[in-house]
Amino acid sequence: MPSSLALLVLAAVLISVGVYLILERSLSRIVLGLTNLTNGVNILFLIAGGRTGNPPLVGKTDPQTMSDPLAQAMMLTAIVIGLGTTAFLLAIGYRSWQLNGNDEVQDDLEDRRILRRAERARLAARAEGAARVEEDAPQAHDDTEGELEDTELTGEIDPVFDKPRQQPANIVATMQSEEQA
């Protein structure tokens, strides 16, 4: 019997909700996300097991009608590992609640120091290699704004319409020619 589409959709929903919850900062949401992810993977193991069949007992069942025991063993192993990981994370969350009064995962202080040091080094390297605007402009040119963008700064191009500005004399001549027509 082929796998049901409902099982595939259920596995996809459980895995996607699990990944979303794991990316949160609250440890209780991480635990719920890990549980959803584990259940989604278990359903995928169930689908990968193939057709249903008789119990895989050697000597009592015909080998042609046996179900695959590997998928069952993988699911059982995944359930045990998921249960152990959930219990460990719940213990960490409870201890965090006792110490801090919340279950948010904090950034490590050393990670913050390393990030600040790297940011200072990046800014220092940028300040040392500062170039004049004329030298830096060709590298920073943005081709997405329009083809005449460089001449907008000189006032020759209208930045709104992205076309050359008409001089006042040209505007008067254009208006007179439109009135005559």
Side-chain angles (χ1 to χ4, degrees):
M1 180 171 133
S3 298
S4 172
L5 180 63
L7 284 178
L8 287 172
V9 170
L10 178 64
V13 168
L14 284 174
I15 289 173
S16 61
V17 167
V19 168
Y20 175 77
L21 288 174
I22 285 175
L23 296 176
E24 294 289 326
R25 297 195 58 87
S26 172
L27 199 54
S28 59
R29 289 186 182 197
I30 292 172
V31 170
L32 291 174
L34 185 68
T35 304
N36 280 338
L37 187 66
T38 302
N39 289 332
V41 170
N42 284 338
I43 291 175
L44 285 180
F45 282 144
L46 179 69
I47 295 169
R51 61 176 173 75
T52 58
N54 294 329
L57 301 173
V58 177
K60 294 188 178 185
T61 308
D62 181 31
Q64 301 298 328
T65 61
M66 282 186 193
S67 61
D68 186 12
L70 180 63
Q72 296 172 8
M74 299 267 297
M75 281 179 58
L76 185 58
T77 304
I79 289 170
V80 171
I81 291 172
L83 182 64
T85 307
T86 302
F88 178 68
L89 286 176
L90 284 174
I92 288 176
Y94 181 68
R95 183 67 178 160
S96 174
W97 183 266
Q98 283 181 332
L99 293 176
N100 301 326
N102 62 19
D103 66 341
E104 267 194 35
V105 177
Q106 301 285 326
D107 285 337
D108 189 23
L109 293 177
E110 188 63 26
D111 288 343
R112 289 183 190 170
R113 288 186 195 126
I114 291 171
L115 183 63
R116 275 192 237 125
R117 192 177 311 138
E119 185 68 23
R120 276 191 234 122
R122 187 181 67 80
L123 290 175
R126 187 174 172 189
E128 289 174 3
R132 296 185 45 182
V133 173
E134 294 81 13
E135 297 169 2
D136 197 28
Q139 297 171 352
H141 178 73
D142 185 11
D143 291 329
T144 61
E145 292 293 323
E147 38 186 80
L148 305 172
E149 182 180 343
D150 290 337
T151 53
E152 286 177 6
L153 298 176
T154 61
E156 300 170 15
I157 302 296
D158 187 356
V160 175
F161 300 112
D162 201 27
K163 61 182 183 180
R165 292 184 191 268
Q166 290 186 351
Q167 299 301 325
N170 292 347
I171 293 174
V172 171
T174 304
M175 291 175 68
Q176 289 175 351
S177 65
E178 288 176 359
E179 289 175 2
Q180 291 173 357

